[in-house]
Amino acid sequence: MASHSMPNGRGYGEAKSPTIALARQSSIRKSSAGDLGSSTLPSLGTAGRLVDYDALIRHFDCPVCHDWVTPPIVQCRKGHIVCGPCKSKGLKACPICKQRFSDVPNWMMEQVSLVIAFPCKFQGNGCRVYSELIHKTAHEALCSFRPVSCQYAVRGCTQILLYHLMEKHVLECRFKPPNLQNQLSSSSHGSSNN
């Protein structure tokens, strides 16, 4: 039977969705633990998947700021988790059960967070990209759906638009210097004559 994981124990890099990766990993473990050579997939639920991704990802919602909880994952004595930034701002007790926080991080949630993909924080603006934590910050820094201020804000423009819509606005912005277009045209013609 062919192995689907890489030598370092990680694999499934070719998976198109987080659900497929978890389903493959789960099915391989199940078949290697029980069926001795059987390579059949376990029966799928009515939704046609092994893992309900939406239910899984909701477990990583910080109850304070509603950002995604990422390692190191802080937990209270009953196991509720909060994000590190909220805890470091002086949060003394769990917002859910009012218990003190444990000194031991939630290792299992940390491990799960490393193998699933999180939605871009600009998902509400239309972004459909899901990234593993290691790539999430880099994507969000360049995401076409991130809000940006007009480059003529220093001249008085207050427009804040999604990055992919800003190019059109900049061309039509009423705060654009009136001679900027003429300067660009003349400099490009002058350099071609040299």
Side-chain angles (χ1 to χ4, degrees), residues 61-65 74-76 80-83 86-87 91-101:
D61 179 51
C62 175
V64 179
C65 68
V74 179
Q75 66 179 345
C76 75
H80 301 122
I81 62 175
V82 295
C83 71
C86 285
K87 171 69 169 76
L91 193 61
K92 300 290 183 203
C94 175
I96 297 171
C97 68
K98 308 302 181 214
Q99 292 283 321
R100 289 184 308 154
F101 288 103

Side-chain angles (χ1 to χ4, degrees), residues 60-114:
F60 290 91
D61 179 51
C62 175
V64 179
C65 68
H66 298 288
D67 197 0
W68 300 117
V69 177
T70 59
I73 296 179
V74 179
Q75 66 179 345
C76 75
R77 296 170 77 196
K78 288 191 175 181
H80 301 122
I81 62 175
V82 295
C83 71
C86 285
K87 171 69 169 76
S88 66
K89 289 178 186 171
L91 193 61
K92 300 290 183 203
C94 175
I96 297 171
C97 68
K98 308 302 181 214
Q99 292 283 321
R100 289 184 308 154
F101 288 103
S102 169
D103 293 333
V104 180
N106 191 320
W107 183 83
M108 184 56 73
M109 288 295 280
E110 289 180 357
Q111 296 306 306
V112 172
S113 75
L114 296 175

